[in-house]
Amino acid sequence: MYLSSSRAADASAGVARDRPSVRRAVAGNVVALGLVSMVTDVSSEMVTAVLPLYLVAGLGMTPLAYGLLDGVYQGVTALVRLVGSYAADRTRRRKLVAGTGYALSAVCKPALLAVTTPWAIGAVLAADRTGKGLRSAPRDALISLSTTPGEQGRAFGVHRTLDTAGALLGPLAAFGILWAAHDGYDAVFEVSFCCAVFGVLLLVLYVREPRPSTAERRTGTPLPGAVRALRTLARTPGVPRLGLAAVLLGTATISDAFLYLVLQQRHHLDARWFPLLPVGTAAAFLLLALPIGRLADRAGRLRVFLAGHGLLLAAYLLLLTQAVPQLPTAAALFLLLGTFYAATDGVLMAAAAPLLPPALRASGLALIQTGQAVGRFAAAVLFGAAWTSFGPGTALAAAAGALATAVAVCALILARGKATAGSTAPTSGKATA
């Protein structure tokens, strides 16, 4: 039903006009970007699913070497995201910057077949993450600039639903190919490359650069220097508070992999089922991203964002008790984590986007995402150290205490800036950010 948006409507949605009384379909630009992300995520998750097996079992790499490569794979994105966002805003060619990122990641898929040494593989993975970093903020800026302020949550919910569908299908496709091809890693990388190229073609053919806003047309010049742009963002009402909240909550958010390991150890889960645990979380995220995005537009995006972290806290507490049987614990964990992501991932971008000037939309979103990513990196290091020193139970209890404190502190921070952190609701015009 979302594809019913006309091309003419898409072309006029540069800075979408806010008509609270009209219920419109999601812009075609949003759907097109969602399909691009879905196909690209199928490609990326196919590689992610088999990469440990390929490197350790196929190439004989040690777990320590793989751990270092995994750090490169995850860490490069946050560093490049700021560069890509600034380039997109400065040139006002967000589609071009995003497309460059998608194309770079696509080229890296077959390159994995040609390299065998840890350093060469690390370079390819770094290039792949560079592509992801380049595309993320310009893509989110395109979504935001193609949508009315009152429907940001709904638009990001549609995009994240399609994106998560790809994350769900990717591992299943990889395991299906390995089963059919008898451990044919080459076939996985080749199919992944084809999917990535298809995603780039969808972007080129169906995604449009939104028309410049009135403010952009008045200035008529590119952005000033990076320092001045950063100073402008720091002075934008609501943005510093939201960025600080993202960092604090990110510092208390441990990765899914650690939670799955705690589940496996404390509830003696059969190791054969471990690779399928992320699929359960992705399925819950897929089902809930759009409904919760709509809820955020109506009930308030900051409220939903904080409530999502409350659900993550519930997941921590669930794993701390061993009174609940194994299967109900696993099912509840999938639901809590999926709901957490649905209430925070796109909702954070939907809350931030209306606060940011159109000319700095990609840079502002990237800055908030990078702060959150740095916080989560710190959380992973601290949790891993606590687990090593005191065991998983104590480490998880400390994480739960930290998250509860962070939620309370961020509620106070955001409450003080609520008047300036709002966006217009689709029906009443009240702030819903």
Side-chain angles (χ1 to χ4, degrees), residues 80-92 94 97 133-138 141 223 359-367 369-370:
V80 180
R81 185 183 286 126
L82 293 174
V83 177
S85 64
Y86 181 72
D89 282 337
R90 187 172 183 84
T91 62
R92 295 177 185 170
R94 302 171 183 93
V97 176
L134 285 175
R135 69 181 183 252
S136 295
L223 280 176
L360 289 171
R361 189 67 53 89
S363 298
L365 293 177
L367 192 64
Q369 289 175 325
T370 300

Side-chain angles (χ1 to χ4, degrees), residues 228-240:
R228 187 175 174 186
L230 184 61
R231 189 181 302 134
T232 301
L233 290 173
R235 293 174 178 174
T236 302
V239 172

Side-chain angles (χ1 to χ4, degrees), residues 12-407:
S12 64
V15 174
R17 293 163 293 180
D18 191 14
R19 297 178 183 175
S21 61
V22 181
R23 184 80 171 165
R24 293 169 296 188
V26 170
N29 230 26
V30 175
V31 180
L33 287 164
L35 292 173
V36 171
S37 293
M38 181 180 71
V39 174
T40 304
D41 253 28
V42 170
S43 170
S44 299
E45 294 301 324
M46 286 176 65
V47 174
T48 301
V50 303
L51 200 60
L53 292 174
Y54 174 69
L55 296 178
V56 177
L59 299 182
M61 187 176 293
T62 66
L64 175 60
Y66 172 71
L68 294 174
L69 288 178
D70 186 63
V72 171
Y73 194 75
Q74 301 297 333
V76 171
T77 303
L79 299 176
V80 180
R81 185 183 286 126
L82 293 174
V83 177
S85 64
Y86 181 72
D89 282 337
R90 187 172 183 84
T91 62
R92 295 177 185 170
R93 303 186 70 178
R94 302 171 183 93
K95 175 182 174 180
L96 177 62
V97 176
T100 302
Y102 280 110
L104 179 58
S105 293
V107 172
C108 291
K109 301 303 186 297
L112 286 171
L113 293 172
V115 296
T116 56
T117 65
W119 289 108
I121 294 172
V124 173
L125 294 179
D128 179 76
R129 293 299 90 183
T130 297
K132 181 174 177 60
L134 285 175
R135 69 181 183 252
S136 295
R139 178 205 63 204
D140 285 345
L142 286 169
I143 294 170
S144 174
L145 293 170
S146 301
T147 309
T148 61
E151 301 228 349
Q152 296 283 316
R154 183 166 174 249
F156 279 100
V158 169
H159 175 267
R160 291 326 194 241
T161 297
L162 293 169
D163 181 79
T164 307
L168 181 66
L169 294 172
L172 298 178
F175 285 115
I177 292 172
L178 285 179
W179 178 78
H182 303 290
D183 294 333
Y185 296 108
D186 291 4
V188 172
F189 294 139
E190 289 166 359
V191 174
S192 174
F193 172 65
C194 292
C195 291
V197 171
F198 183 50
V200 174
L201 290 176
L202 287 176
L203 179 80
V204 171
L205 295 175
Y206 296 106
V207 175
R208 291 169 177 76
E209 187 75 48
R211 290 179 179 177
S213 66
T214 302
E216 287 180 300
R217 287 195 297 269
R218 285 174 181 171
T219 58
T221 57
L223 280 176
V227 174
R228 187 175 174 186
L230 184 61
R231 189 181 302 134
T232 301
L233 290 173
R235 293 174 178 174
T236 302
V239 172
R241 292 179 185 273
L242 187 58
L244 177 59
V247 173
L248 291 177
L249 291 169
T251 306
T253 302
I254 58 179
S255 70
D256 296 354
F258 279 125
L259 296 180
Y260 298 148
L261 287 172
V262 172
L263 174 67
Q264 195 272 332
Q265 291 195 9
R266 293 177 68 86
H267 291 270
H268 309 290
L269 183 70
D270 192 330
R272 293 176 298 177
W273 296 103
F274 189 84
L276 296 179
L277 295 180
V279 176
T281 298
F285 187 9
L286 172 68
L287 294 174
L288 295 171
L290 178 55
I292 292 181
R294 288 175 171 172
L295 175 64
D297 284 335
R298 297 172 182 173
R301 295 164 193 149
L302 298 181
R303 292 191 188 98
V304 171
F305 181 66
L306 290 174
H309 286 85
L311 293 174
L312 180 63
L313 176 60
Y316 291 0
L317 298 177
L318 174 68
L319 290 177
L320 284 172
T321 177
Q322 294 177 286
V324 183
Q326 179 189 101
L327 290 180
T329 297
L333 180 64
F334 298 153
L335 181 60
L336 288 170
L337 288 179
T339 310
F340 159 70
Y341 284 117
T344 57
D345 185 14
V347 171
L348 175 60
M349 296 296 96
L355 306 177
L356 299 165
L360 289 171
R361 189 67 53 89
S363 298
L365 293 177
L367 192 64
I368 292 174
Q369 289 175 325
T370 300
Q372 185 184 52
V374 171
R376 290 183 176 180
F377 173 77
V381 173
L382 293 173
F383 185 80
W387 184 329
T388 303
S389 301
F390 308 109
T394 302
L396 191 59
L403 181 57
T405 303
V407 170

